[in-house]
Amino acid sequence: MAIITVNNVTKSYGIDIILQNVSFIVNEGDRVGIVGENGAGKSTLFKLLAGITEADCGSISISKDKIGYLEQSAVIDSEKSIYEEVKTVFYEIFELDNQIKSLEKKISQTKDKDLLDKLLLEYSSLMDKYNELEGYSTESKIRGVLNGLGFDVSQFDTPVSILSGGQKTRLMLAKTLLLNPDVLLLDEPTNHLDINSIEWLEQYLRFYNGTILIISHDRYFLDKIVNRIFEIENTRLSVYEGNYTEYLKRKKAETEIKLKAYEEQQKEIKRIKSIIQIQKNKRSEKSVRMAESKQKLLDKMEIIEKPVINKASINLRFDFDLESGNDVLTVKNLSLSFDRQIFSNVSFEVKKGEKIALLGPNGVGKSSLLKIIAGEVHNFEGEIKFGTNVITGYYEQEFKSLNEQKAVIDEIWDENPYLTQTEVRTLLASFLFREDDVFKTIDKLSGGEKARLSLLKLILSKANFLLMDEPTNHLDLKAKEVLEEALTDYNGTLLFVSHDRYFIDKIATKVMILTQNGVEIYLGNYSYYIEKKNQLNEKQEETLKKTKTQIKNERYKERLNRLQLKQQKEYLKNLENSIYQAEERIKYLEEKMCDAEIYKTGEIVDIQKEYNSLKNKLEQMYEEWENFSG
């Protein structure tokens, strides 16, 4: 069943056409990934679907009313706490809960039979509505989603007003998910999430009942979630079945077919033009007619556009002049504290040629560790020792090393005065800074432009040991692929922090997990680390099960030793009798609760209490019976 139908939609801003003649259908239950370069129109498409902006022409039809939309940099202004703000999603349920509690109090105090009948009828109606809205599970839903997105219980009372931009975006994501809309529009939902939270979100979305459209540069995330890809390129939208990896294969095959068709047509056009020229030169009546015929054939020909294979992208190649020794870095008993202990007992070694991914939850100190190694942070305890001929290059995610007031060309030239202006401009052009772009001041650059400039500075440092903090942030998919290729070909040593699991999988030869109490090291890439982690978790679960069984057996033996056999038999007999009596009473109460009259008299409140109490008691008695007779 079609949920969304878009037909020949065009959207422009001024003279710039963003989307042109876009048509597609999204079916119920689809998981669609929206991909394309920065500025291609992905967020514009979402704004059209969410009804925030209108199309210039064409039509959009959505058969469901409940749409949840998370903008890429969603912000929220609120004086409430985190928990109270999220509760607003369930305003109706919490209002119902308050009404039910108020009504229960009135029922317990009312003696008038007619009024009691009326109150009980109202109570029954409210309870039906409360159960229909699944009010009983609301609190656990809120806690589950907040915890999953990285909010600890200790943070629930934190005022929203003091949260960082990233935390506010995560909070908006929590509210959007808890809204449980029929159609979920998520614009870069994995931004500001650590790997644990991304994995939780993956699991949540895989079992989500509605229809999902996701804009994301996280290729690993797309592979796990989506079953279709919508690519926006050159104002057009193309549909591909399958996940991101399947899309890449199909796109490559499609491009090769189009290129072959283009080349064959160009050969045919060249052949026809040659015939036309030859026939014109003959100047006979017959040859002129043939030339005219061929020209008509050429005019009617539907020209195949040359497929764009290598659109403008950065030219990356990391190199160095001086090779380091085999021992690149030794870290011993490293500890860091600010207003609290960040991490301690961190020890590890880095060898030449290793490419190490540094992972761990937000706030554990990954960026701080890189800053210590880069010499940016000095108030630490422990030992940092570099090997022979090690030259470090540091890429920081906040771009603080860039001088905001300098022009782009000066930022490069001032640190590399041996280069000529032509050489500097050639280098900048290879990083897509062309013509007047080189004279922009850095404070006017976008995040992607600052990332490209920082990468150029890193290349020019000729470092044989690269320290990179979230290098794929702000890069579009094409730039990420170029960076991956450059780092794969890099012969030096790399230590990097990233939440991009696809990137980690491509680059890492070792994974290092930073915790508050040290590091855990896994040889191999991200997939290998996940495999080992899952194996370890399975072993821990088996050990836990064994431990629980052992504890249960020990307790059983202790009780057997304390009780003589005769006393045990007597106890079991009495216990079995009590179980029988409890079951009979529960059966009687269940029959009672089927009687409509008890709701009028108010007797239901007392019966419900006794019923719940007996059920709990019966469960305890059965547990006791199993311990002594099992």
Side-chain angles (χ1 to χ4, degrees):
M1 176 183 169
I3 294 291
I4 301 172
T5 304
V6 174
N7 190 31
N8 291 325
V9 163
T10 296
K11 179 64 181 176
S12 303
Y13 290 107
I15 61 170
D16 296 325
I17 299 173
I18 308 301
L19 301 170
Q20 188 170 23
N21 296 329
V22 167
S23 298
F24 60 84
I25 291 173
V26 177
N27 294 312
E28 188 171 6
D30 270 350
R31 272 93 166 108
V32 182
I34 317 291
V35 302
E37 294 184 355
N38 290 340
K42 303 184 296 294
S43 295
T44 298
L45 176 62
F46 268 20
K47 284 181 169 62
L48 289 167
L49 295 177
I52 294 172
T53 187
E54 292 184 1
D56 299 335
C57 61
S59 64
I60 297 174
S61 173
I62 301 178
S63 64
K64 297 289 184 179
D65 295 329
K66 203 172 177 184
I67 298 175
Y69 172 39
L70 176 76
E71 294 188 66
Q72 185 173 342
S73 299
V75 293
I76 180 171
D77 292 319
S78 174
E79 298 303 317
K80 295 183 174 70
S81 68
I82 288 173
Y83 193 78
E84 290 298 320
E85 180 58 36
V86 174
K87 277 177 66 175
T88 60
V89 172
F90 300 103
Y91 174 80
E92 183 181 1
I93 289 174
F94 282 105
E95 277 295 299
L96 263 177
D97 187 49
N98 290 334
Q99 290 174 38
I100 288 168
K101 286 175 181 176
S102 175
L103 208 52
E104 285 173 348
K105 189 176 180 181
K106 284 182 182 179
I107 289 170
S108 66
Q109 296 171 349
T110 300
K111 305 297 182 184
D112 184 279
K113 187 177 181 305
D114 291 338
L115 178 58
L116 188 62
D117 288 346
K118 184 180 177 183
L119 291 176
L120 286 169
L121 192 63
E122 185 182 353
Y123 180 82
S124 177
S125 174
L126 289 177
M127 283 301 297
D128 286 345
K129 191 173 183 182
Y130 186 78
N131 290 330
E132 186 184 332
L133 294 171
E134 298 182 345
Y136 52 85
S137 63
T138 301
E139 297 276 356
S140 61
K141 285 178 183 175
I142 292 173
R143 290 176 179 273
V145 170
L146 285 176
N147 286 331
L149 293 177
F151 290 104
D152 188 75
V153 175
S154 62
Q155 297 176 290
F156 284 6
D157 292 330
T158 305
V160 173
S161 57
I162 68 170
L163 298 181
S164 67
Q167 288 173 317
K168 287 181 177 180
T169 302
R170 279 193 284 139
L171 185 61
M172 285 300 295
L173 175 57
K175 291 183 68 175
T176 305
L177 295 178
L178 287 167
L179 189 64
N180 197 34
D182 302 306
V183 179
L184 198 52
L185 307 175
L186 301 177
D187 194 346
E188 294 292 357
T190 59
N191 282 1
H192 313 294
L193 298 183
D194 60 22
I195 287 178
N196 289 337
S197 296
I198 294 172
E199 289 175 348
W200 176 89
L201 182 60
E202 276 174 6
Q203 193 74 357
Y204 187 95
L205 293 178
R206 283 171 69 184
F207 292 97
Y208 191 77
N209 288 325
T211 303
I212 305 170
L213 285 81
I214 305 170
I215 296 171
S216 182
H217 287 152
D218 189 328
R219 297 154 293 176
Y220 202 98
F221 182 74
L222 289 174
D223 265 353
K224 290 282 188 179
I225 301 298
V226 307
N227 63 351
R228 302 175 79 195
I229 292 287
F230 288 0
E231 180 197 52
I232 301 177
E233 185 177 43
N234 298 325
T235 74
R236 308 284 181 171
L237 186 143
S238 302
V239 178
Y240 296 85
E241 299 300 322
N243 63 10
Y244 183 78
T245 299
E246 285 297 315
Y247 147 74
L248 287 180
K249 291 177 185 175
R250 292 171 190 268
K251 173 76 172 176
K252 183 180 179 183
E254 181 185 278
T255 302
E256 287 173 354
I257 291 169
K258 286 180 179 178
L259 183 61
K260 188 176 180 180
Y262 168 79
E263 289 172 346
E264 287 178 354
Q265 189 185 62
Q266 288 299 308
K267 286 179 184 177
E268 180 64 9
I269 289 170
K270 188 176 180 181
R271 186 185 72 83
I272 292 171
K273 283 183 175 179
S274 175
I275 292 172
I276 291 171
Q277 191 60 47
I278 291 169
Q279 295 301 325
K280 279 183 177 179
N281 289 339
K282 288 182 179 179
R283 296 182 181 179
S284 68
E285 186 179 340
K286 187 177 180 181
S287 65
V288 169
R289 283 202 303 272
M290 181 178 285
E292 289 174 349
S293 174
K294 291 293 181 183
Q295 185 61 52
K296 286 178 183 178
L297 179 66
L298 200 62
D299 293 340
K300 290 178 181 178
M301 189 180 290
E302 189 174 337
I303 302 300
I304 298 171
E305 290 184 15
K306 184 177 182 180
V308 180
I309 299 173
N310 293 312
K311 286 194 75 175
S313 188
I314 54 177
N315 182 15
L316 272 178
R317 187 173 183 275
F318 294 96
D319 205 353
F320 50 86
D321 297 325
L322 188 62
E323 194 165 318
S324 72
N326 188 55
D327 297 323
V328 173
L329 176 69
T330 302
V331 174
K332 289 184 179 178
N333 299 321
L334 198 67
S335 296
L336 179 67
S337 299
F338 293 125
D339 54 338
R340 62 178 178 85
Q341 185 81 43
I342 306 300
F343 56 73
S344 62
N345 195 34
V346 171
S347 299
F348 61 90
E349 293 181 342
V350 177
K351 301 296 183 182
K352 183 174 72 174
E354 286 187 322
K355 291 166 184 175
I356 304 172
L358 179 61
L359 310 182
N362 286 343
V364 79
K366 302 184 296 296
S367 295
S368 296
L369 179 55
L370 284 191
K371 286 177 181 177
I372 290 171
I373 297 169
E376 300 281 327
V377 172
H378 305 283
N379 60 329
F380 61 89
E381 295 179 2
E383 184 182 347
I384 297 280
K385 184 180 178 183
F386 290 98
T388 307
N389 296 331
V390 173
I391 301 170
T392 60
Y394 176 41
Y395 177 98
E396 55 181 341
Q397 62 171 311
E398 300 97 346
F399 309 123
K400 289 181 181 176
S401 65
L402 299 177
N403 188 328
E404 293 281 313
Q405 304 310 312
K406 277 187 179 180
V408 169
I409 189 170
D410 293 330
E411 182 70 20
I412 299 300
W413 209 355
D414 287 353
E415 293 186 17
N416 303 276
Y418 56 88
L419 296 173
T420 65
Q421 186 184 56
T422 302
E423 287 171 331
V424 173
R425 295 199 67 160
T426 300
L427 282 167
L428 287 169
S430 69
F431 279 72
L432 310 184
F433 292 102
R434 299 191 176 99
E435 298 178 354
D436 289 343
D437 286 344
V438 303
F439 301 114
K440 282 184 182 176
T441 54
I442 290 169
D443 62 336
K444 299 294 192 296
L445 300 183
S446 67
E449 288 171 324
K450 287 179 180 178
R452 298 202 307 267
L453 191 61
S454 294
L455 285 171
L456 175 55
K457 289 183 70 175
L458 190 65
I459 285 172
L460 291 171
S461 72
K462 297 287 184 181
N464 53 32
F465 180 28
L466 300 180
L467 304 168
M468 304 185 79
D469 193 356
E470 297 290 359
T472 60
N473 279 6
H474 309 290
L475 298 181
D476 59 28
L477 291 173
K478 189 181 293 292
K480 285 182 182 183
E481 289 164 6
V482 172
L483 178 60
E484 281 164 11
E485 188 176 342
L487 289 174
T488 300
D489 294 339
Y490 177 57
N491 292 320
T493 307
L494 173 65
L495 176 61
F496 68 98
V497 172
S498 180
H499 289 150
D500 188 330
R501 294 161 299 166
Y502 196 100
F503 178 78
I504 298 167
D505 222 31
K506 287 277 189 179
I507 304 300
T509 59
K510 183 188 285 186
V511 172
M512 189 161 67
I513 311 299
L514 180 63
T515 71
Q516 287 186 329
N517 303 310
V519 293
E520 301 167 8
I521 294 174
Y522 298 82
L523 297 176
N525 63 4
Y526 183 77
S527 294
Y528 181 79
Y529 153 66
I530 290 296
E531 182 184 338
K532 287 297 179 185
K533 189 174 80 166
N534 289 340
Q535 289 175 3
L536 184 63
N537 288 341
E538 286 172 8
K539 285 181 181 178
Q540 287 174 343
E541 285 175 10
E542 287 176 13
T543 303
L544 187 61
K545 285 178 183 177
K546 287 177 183 177
T547 304
K548 284 182 177 179
T549 304
Q550 288 167 356
I551 292 170
K552 188 176 180 180
N553 289 338
E554 286 170 6
R555 286 176 179 172
Y556 174 65
K557 287 175 183 177
E558 286 173 7
R559 285 172 179 169
L560 278 179
N561 290 333
R562 287 198 303 266
L563 293 171
Q564 295 178 2
L565 188 58
K566 187 177 179 180
Q567 289 174 317
Q568 183 189 0
K569 287 180 179 179
E570 188 66 24
Y571 179 81
L572 282 173
K573 185 179 178 182
N574 292 334
L575 187 59
E576 287 167 357
N577 188 45
S578 297
I579 288 171
Y580 172 77
Q581 290 175 356
E583 286 178 333
E584 286 297 306
R585 181 63 180 171
I586 286 170
K587 185 179 177 182
Y588 167 78
L589 292 174
E590 285 175 342
E591 290 174 355
K592 247 321 208 182
M593 284 189 285
C594 293
D595 185 359
E597 290 299 315
I598 66 168
Y599 290 86
K600 297 177 182 178
T601 61
E603 193 180 349
I604 181 61
V605 177
D606 294 331
I607 288 175
Q608 189 73 49
K609 285 181 182 177
E610 184 185 357
Y611 178 82
N612 291 335
S613 176
L614 271 176
K615 289 284 281 187
N616 291 332
K617 188 176 179 181
L618 183 61
E619 189 176 336
Q620 291 169 6
M621 286 192 292
Y622 263 123
E623 189 175 343
E624 281 293 301
W625 185 84
E626 286 174 358
N627 286 337
F628 284 96
S629 64

